[in-house]
Amino acid sequence: MAARVDPSDEFLNISSFLYEDFNSTLINHTFTHNFTKNGSIITTGLFGWCHNWKEFQHWLFNTAHLFFFISYALPTNRYGLICMHTFLIVGFSFLSSWAWRVACAPDIFIWNLFFISINLFQLIYVLYQSRPVKFDPDFEEVYTNLFEPFKVSRLQFKKLVNDQVIKTQTLQPGEAYAVQNITRTDRLALLLTGKAYVAQDKQYLHPIATGEFLDSPEFESRANSENKFKVSIIAHTTCRIMYWQRSTLEYLFVKETYLANVMTVLVAKDITTKLYAMNNKIMTEKGSHLDIRLPCVTSAIKSKERRTSMLKAVKKNIAMEKVINSSPESGWLNI
C-alpha cells in the first residue's frame, strides 16, 4: 500500500525549491554580469571586479609602467625634473609600442604620442633653464661672493647685470664718483675692482673696498632724486664700478621680488659695515670707542640697572631693621 503524502508537506517542498531557485537566480543576476568578448564569456561582479583573471600583459606594457614608477619616485630638483621627463618619455614610448604591436588600439597609441610630445617640450624647457650662464670675471666674483649665498640663480642675476639695466665706469686715482653738495643721489654703485674712500670737507671718513657699495646710505635714505651727496666719494686706486639708476632698479624689483629682498639685505649689511667703520673713529673722553648702535637704549638699561640696585639696597635695609626690632635684645634695649 502506497504511503500517503501529506499535501501540506508537498506544498512546503515545492515552495522551498522555488525559493532557492529564485534566490540563486536573483543573486547571479544581481552580483554577476556576463558579457562576451572575442567569442568567450567573461564574468564580472557587481562592482566590476573580474572572476576570470588573465595572464600578465606583454613585457612592453610592464616595462613602461616600471619607467613610470621610477619617474614619479624622483626628487623635484632640477636634475630630478630632467630625469623624470626623460623616464616618462621612455615609458610612454614603450606603451605606444605595446598599443601598436600588441593591443592594436589606435586610440591608446595616439594618446601616448600626445604624452610623449608634452614631456619632450617640458624636457627641452628644463634643459634650457639649466643651461650654463657665464658672466664677466668681475661680475662672476660679485655673484659668487654676494648673491649665490642667498640662492639667487644665475638667470636671476643675469637680469640684474644685463646691459639694459647696469652701466660700468672706470675711475682713475683721485677721480670722484660723487662730489659733496653737487652730485645727485639717484643711483646705486658697486665697486668691482680697486679701492675708494669717503671724505667730507676734505676730511677722510672711511675706506670702501672691492665688493662694497659706494653710496648705499644715500641710496637708502634719500627722499627724492634732487637730493645731493653730503660727502665726496673718491677713487684711491684705479677703480671699476657698475651702477644702476634708481628708477630702472625699482622697475626691475617690481617683477623680481626675491631679487629685491636680497638687494635690500645687501644694502643694509653694507650700511652697517660703514657705520662700524665710522664707529672706530669716534672716541670717548676715556679713550674707548663710543657705541653708536643704540646709545639711548644702552643708557636706559644702565640707568635701570642703577635703580634696581638702589631698590635692592633699600629693601635690604628695611628687612634688617625689622629683624632688629623684632629680636628680644631689641626689646631689652628699649626697656
Side-chain angles (χ1 to χ4, degrees):
M1 184 176 180
R4 183 180 178 182
V5 179
D6 191 354
S8 60
D9 294 338
E10 184 177 0
F11 176 76
L12 290 175
N13 292 332
I14 295 173
S15 299
S16 177
F17 173 77
L18 291 175
Y19 175 77
E20 291 177 358
D21 182 67
F22 173 77
N23 192 26
S24 61
T25 303
L26 179 63
I27 292 174
N28 291 332
H29 179 74
T30 303
F31 293 98
T32 61
H33 177 67
N34 299 332
F35 63 93
T36 304
K37 182 178 180 181
N38 297 331
S40 60
I41 299 176
I42 299 177
T43 304
T44 61
L46 174 64
F47 301 104
W49 60 71
C50 294
H51 295 298
N52 301 325
W53 290 94
K54 292 185 176 181
E55 296 181 355
F56 284 100
Q57 292 293 332
H58 195 269
W59 66 269
L60 290 172
F61 182 86
N62 291 290
T63 305
H65 285 79
L66 177 62
F67 278 101
F68 294 155
F69 175 80
I70 296 174
S71 64
Y72 294 134
L74 293 172
T76 57
N77 54 25
R78 182 178 60 183
Y79 298 105
L81 290 176
I82 293 175
C83 294
M84 182 190 72
H85 290 296
T86 302
F87 281 116
L88 285 176
I89 290 173
V90 175
F92 285 122
S93 299
F94 275 103
L95 206 57
S96 298
S97 179
W98 171 81
W100 183 265
R101 297 175 54 187
V102 180
C104 299
D107 53 345
I108 300 177
F109 177 77
I110 293 173
W111 276 112
N112 282 281
L113 285 183
F114 280 126
F115 296 148
I116 291 173
S117 302
I118 292 173
N119 282 277
L120 183 60
F121 289 138
Q122 291 285 344
L123 179 61
I124 294 173
Y125 176 75
V126 174
L127 290 175
Y128 175 77
Q129 293 289 330
S130 304
R131 72 189 188 280
V133 180
K134 297 182 179 180
F135 304 111
D136 182 88
D138 294 333
F139 293 167
E140 186 72 33
E141 186 176 357
V142 171
Y143 173 75
T144 303
N145 296 334
L146 298 180
F147 291 90
E148 190 175 19
F150 289 96
K151 307 300 181 183
V152 176
S153 66
R154 288 182 171 269
L155 290 176
Q156 289 176 316
F157 184 69
K158 185 178 180 180
K159 297 177 182 178
L160 189 64
V161 296
N162 62 48
D163 296 335
Q164 298 177 353
V165 177
I166 69 163
K167 296 180 181 180
T168 58
Q169 182 180 355
T170 301
L171 300 177
Q172 300 301 324
E175 187 177 355
Y177 164 77
V179 180
Q180 183 177 350
N181 297 325
I182 295 178
T183 308
R184 292 189 302 178
T185 59
D186 58 349
R187 56 185 178 177
L188 177 66
L190 183 68
L191 185 60
L192 298 176
T193 59
K195 295 180 180 180
Y197 65 92
V198 179
Q200 185 179 37
D201 298 329
K202 298 182 180 180
Q203 182 180 0
Y204 177 86
L205 295 180
H206 64 82
I208 299 176
T210 301
E212 295 182 0
F213 291 98
L214 294 175
D215 49 357
S216 55
E218 290 78 11
F219 177 81
E220 188 67 24
S221 62
R222 76 168 183 83
N224 53 66
S225 59
E226 299 300 326
N227 283 7
K228 303 295 192 300
F229 275 85
K230 305 301 181 183
V231 295
S232 296
I233 302 175
I234 304 170
H236 182 67
T237 62
T238 302
C239 299
R240 184 167 180 250
I241 65 172
M242 67 176 184
Y243 63 91
W244 301 267
Q245 293 294 333
R246 187 180 183 92
S247 58
T248 305
L249 208 56
E250 289 177 346
Y251 179 74
L252 175 64
F253 288 163
V254 170
K255 298 183 293 184
E256 299 290 337
T257 55
Y258 181 73
L259 201 58
N261 294 332
V262 172
M263 184 65 80
T264 301
V265 172
L266 292 175
V267 170
K269 180 182 177 182
D270 189 80
I271 294 174
T272 305
T273 303
K274 289 177 170 55
L275 286 176
Y276 274 105
M278 291 296 298
N279 188 32
N280 292 331
K281 297 176 65 65
I282 302 176
M283 306 290 290
T284 62
E285 296 178 355
K286 297 181 180 180
S288 60
H289 291 289
L290 180 64
D291 190 354
I292 63 173
R293 293 174 296 177
L294 297 172
C296 298
V297 176
T298 304
S299 60
I301 292 174
K302 290 181 178 179
S303 61
K304 183 178 179 180
E305 290 177 352
R306 286 195 297 267
R307 289 196 301 269
T308 303
S309 61
M310 291 175 63
L311 288 174
K312 288 182 179 179
V314 171
K315 289 180 180 179
K316 186 176 180 180
N317 292 333
I318 294 173
M320 291 180 65
E321 289 179 359
K322 289 182 178 180
V323 171
I324 293 173
N325 293 332
S326 61
S327 63
E329 295 180 356
S330 62
W332 178 79
L333 290 173
N334 291 332
I335 293 173

